[in-house]
Amino acid sequence: DIVMTQSPDSLAVSLGERATINCKSSQSVLYSSNNKNYLAWYQQKPGQPPKLLIYWASTRESGVPDRFSGSGSGTDFTLTISSLQAEDVAIYYCQQYYNTPPFFGQGTKLEIK
Amino acid sequence: EVQLEESGGGLVQPGGSLRLSCAASGFIFNNYDMNWVRQAPGKGLEWVSYISTSSSTIYYADSVKGRFTISRDNAKNSLYLQMNSLRAGDTAVYYCARVDADKPTLDYWGQGTLVTVSS
């Protein structure tokens, strides 16, 4: 099984500042045949289901603001919010889809400082 | 508009059974693999089960293997989760989620249905 570990568990950032969330997989999620990282990021606001933000580690889902970006390859990944907005308060999860079971990270709670 | 609507949750005693349903609309259901994901109160996301378009491939999390059964009826645009031998640890909101094969991630989720296992 590929275990996903996020850091930090919680994060407080001032409005307009940068927020960075890290995700580490216990083994590589880079598929050599297509050179794609099978890594996604989701945002979950209170009382709502998760929403897909990023797939292939760095491709924004349609409609996702460009202040959200994903980076990394292999085992180490980052979700960056370039300028935090009030509506970005949420819990963020990474997930590997390289193999089954497609484990999620434990989540990172993002708050306003 | 893609819509996924779960139903069938509720309060059940330990050892009991429950069948969840997920009604899909706004897309060609039989073209998409589907999953169930759950979230215990105040906790993170836990993948539960996967089923391919034709039901030929099915996977389960170790925590539910042998107790839960995923199925689908493409003619009815519906996904199901039969849950037997329920335990307190199965208490959670259960979400159905669609897999976009081009991504390949969970691109649409339902609002979820709450299952509470308690005496």
Side-chain angles (χ1 to χ4, degrees), chain A residues 50-77:
Chain A
K51 172 189 172 184
L52 176 63
L53 293 179
I54 303 279
Y55 57 95
W56 297 136
S58 60
T59 303
R60 261 188 312 275
E61 174 73 330
S62 175
V64 173
D66 61 7
R67 64 180 181 273
F68 290 90
S69 63
S71 62
S73 185
T75 61
D76 293 279
F77 301 91

Side-chain angles (χ1 to χ4, degrees), chain A:
Chain A
D1 294 357
I2 300 178
V3 177
M4 310 301 290
T5 304
Q6 293 181 226
S7 61
D9 290 335
S10 63
L11 181 63
V13 175
S14 300
L15 289 173
E17 295 300 305
R18 178 186 300 260
T20 301
I21 298 170
N22 301 301
C23 174
K24 188 174 184 66
S25 57
S26 61
Q27 61 192 76
S28 176
V29 298
L30 175 62
Y31 196 41
S32 56
S33 65
N34 59 9
N35 200 38
K36 289 184 180 294
N37 288 284
Y38 283 59
L39 189 285
W41 289 96
Y42 300 87
Q43 175 194 63
Q44 187 178 31
K45 296 181 179 181
Q48 296 184 20
K51 172 189 172 184
L52 176 63
L53 293 179
I54 303 279
Y55 57 95
W56 297 136
S58 60
T59 303
R60 261 188 312 275
E61 174 73 330
S62 175
V64 173
D66 61 7
R67 64 180 181 273
F68 290 90
S69 63
S71 62
S73 185
T75 61
D76 293 279
F77 301 91
T78 300
L79 175 69
T80 301
I81 307 172
S82 59
S83 177
L84 189 70
Q85 305 299 303
E87 61 265 32
D88 301 334
V89 169
I91 299 176
Y92 293 83
Y93 296 92
C94 62
Q95 184 203 23
Q96 68 83 13
Y97 223 88
Y98 184 89
N99 64 12
T100 299
F103 280 155
F104 293 89
Q106 80 276 19
T108 295
K109 187 175 184 178
L110 177 59
E111 299 173 313
I112 304 295
K113 184 186 292 184

